[in-house]
């Protein structure tokens, strides 16, 4: 039998209809306790075999319905699924477990390639949302963060602060080189790399003394990289995880207020 903890529903507390892709059972259970619909995403496994593209498509379709068909959602205590909200959702949570697994497994090379795969999946998600935004009056925002750190040399969870970033989708589009560059992004599904591929990729790729191009910020503050050191210089400063949704909803409300002037 399925049981949930007694907490206020997400929609009631934050005023947003939520959905999530979370094959990891503990994350899915927490989501259901908050009244968050768990989307069906074929091939999303919550481990190294997962298909990140399937997760991106599920979230994008749920956030753009009825322009696109909303995925089915999991029904607690049943084997089947039920239709998702026909008019879509306001908030989508996409959980990726494999990077945490790489930390637990002390798989340094895989973690590097895995993070690059996440970058690719975020770009796929952005393309899908941008196609919806330019076809409707929808407006999208992206937020990327982690729930904890899992250093590969330690192999377990640790207490360091994690980076947090959010932006309007149109700012992300500008960062990647504009609409034409984003629309060139392939939506073909891709597997996470193997450790062998990771080793081949990292061995001898960079010449000694080779300088990496420094990215430039498009909007907000001057931080242009998502890592712990760069994020420490951000305008949001350091805040407790319990404040995160307040930070997000304030950002959404500020943008809505500006757009209605």
């Amino acid at each position: 039998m399925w049981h949930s903890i007694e907490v206020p529903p997400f929609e009631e507390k934050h005023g947003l209809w939520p959905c999530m892709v979370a094959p990891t059972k503990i994350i899915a259970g927490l989501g259901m306790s908050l009244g968050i619909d768990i989307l069906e995403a074929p091939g999303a496994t919550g481990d190294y075999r997962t298909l990140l593209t399937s997760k991106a498509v599920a979230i994008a379709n749920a956030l753009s319905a009825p322009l696109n068909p909303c995925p089915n959602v999991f029904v607690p205590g049943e084997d089947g699924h039920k239709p998702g909200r026909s008019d879509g959702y306001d908030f989508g949570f996409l959980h990726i477990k494999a990077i945490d697994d790489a930390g637990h497994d002390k798989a340094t090379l895989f973690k590097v390639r895995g993070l690059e795969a996440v970058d690719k999946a975020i770009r796929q998600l952005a393309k899908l949302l941008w196609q919806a935004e330019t076809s409707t009056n929808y407006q999208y925002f992206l937020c990327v963060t982690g729930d904890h750190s899992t250093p590969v040399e330690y192999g377990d969870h640790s207490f360091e602060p994690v980076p947090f970033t959010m932006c309007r989708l149109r700012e992300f589009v500008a960062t990647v080189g504009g609409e034409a560059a984003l629309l060139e992004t392939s939506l073909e599904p891709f597997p996470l790399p193997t450790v062998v591929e990771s080793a081949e990729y990292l061995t001898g790729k960079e010449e000694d003394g080779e300088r990496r191009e420094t990215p430039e910020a498009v909007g907000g503050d001057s931080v242009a990289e998502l890592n712990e050191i760069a994020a420490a210089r951000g305008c949001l400063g350091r805040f407790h995880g319990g404040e995160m949704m307040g930070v997000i909803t304030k950002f959404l409300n500020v943008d809505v207020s500006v757009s209605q002037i």
Side-chain angles (χ1 to χ4, degrees):
M1 180 178 293
W2 181 81
H3 297 279
S4 64
I5 57 177
E6 295 185 3
V7 292
F10 185 99
E11 186 275 332
E12 179 182 303
K13 185 170 183 178
H14 302 295
L16 299 167
W17 281 106
C19 62
M20 68 191 305
V21 173
T24 306
K25 300 306 180 184
I26 188 171
I27 303 298
L30 290 171
M32 287 188 290
S33 294
L34 294 167
I36 301 177
D37 282 351
I38 312 300
L39 302 177
E40 183 179 26
T45 62
D47 56 26
Y48 292 151
R49 299 165 297 170
T50 195
L51 292 179
L52 300 183
T53 304
S54 179
K55 295 185 176 186
V57 170
I59 286 289
N61 286 346
L63 295 178
S64 60
L67 178 66
N68 294 304
C70 186
N72 290 332
V73 300
F74 173 73
V75 181
E78 298 182 14
D79 293 331
H81 293 75
K82 67 177 183 180
R85 284 174 50 85
S86 59
D87 54 351
Y89 297 84
D90 305 315
F91 181 91
F93 176 84
L94 195 166
H95 181 252
I96 297 176
K97 174 67 173 171
I99 307 305
D100 177 56
D101 288 341
H104 287 295
D105 293 340
K106 298 187 177 182
T108 305
L109 301 180
F110 177 82
K111 190 165 187 177
V112 173
R113 290 299 304 275
L115 287 169
E116 291 175 347
V118 172
D119 287 344
K120 185 175 180 179
I122 291 174
R123 189 166 176 135
Q124 290 180 323
L125 174 61
K127 176 179 178 177
L128 293 167
L129 294 178
W130 184 248
Q131 290 174 330
E133 182 167 310
T134 53
S135 302
T136 63
N137 62 348
Y138 300 161
Q139 183 178 183
Y140 293 103
F141 302 77
L142 296 176
C143 176
V144 181
T145 188
D147 54 350
H148 55 72
S149 52
T150 313
V152 291
E153 292 188 0
Y154 179 52
D156 206 346
H157 299 170
S158 58
F159 58 85
E160 292 84 10
V162 296
F164 174 95
T165 185
M166 59 184 175
C167 67
R168 301 168 184 84
L169 178 59
R170 61 179 180 267
E171 294 169 345
F172 180 91
V173 174
T175 300
V176 299
E179 181 179 54
L182 179 65
L183 295 181
E184 290 178 356
T185 302
S186 172
L187 296 177
E188 288 296 317
F190 62 94
L192 285 172
T194 65
V195 175
V196 173
E197 290 172 340
S198 299
E200 292 174 348
Y201 172 80
L202 290 179
T203 302
K205 180 181 178 183
E206 294 184 357
E207 299 293 336
D208 290 341
E210 181 178 341
R211 298 185 64 183
R212 184 167 59 91
E213 183 179 350
T214 302
E216 295 183 1
V218 171
D221 55 33
S222 62
V223 177
E225 298 177 278
L226 184 64
N227 59 62
E228 291 84 351
I229 296 175
R233 302 192 303 268
C235 65
L236 292 176
R238 185 174 178 179
F239 56 90
H240 188 273
E243 301 175 51
M244 185 185 71
M245 280 306 303
V247 172
I248 291 175
T249 53
K250 284 184 179 180
F251 184 60
L252 300 182
N253 290 333
V254 166
D255 192 83
V256 170
S257 299
V258 171
S259 66
Q260 292 176 342
I261 292 177

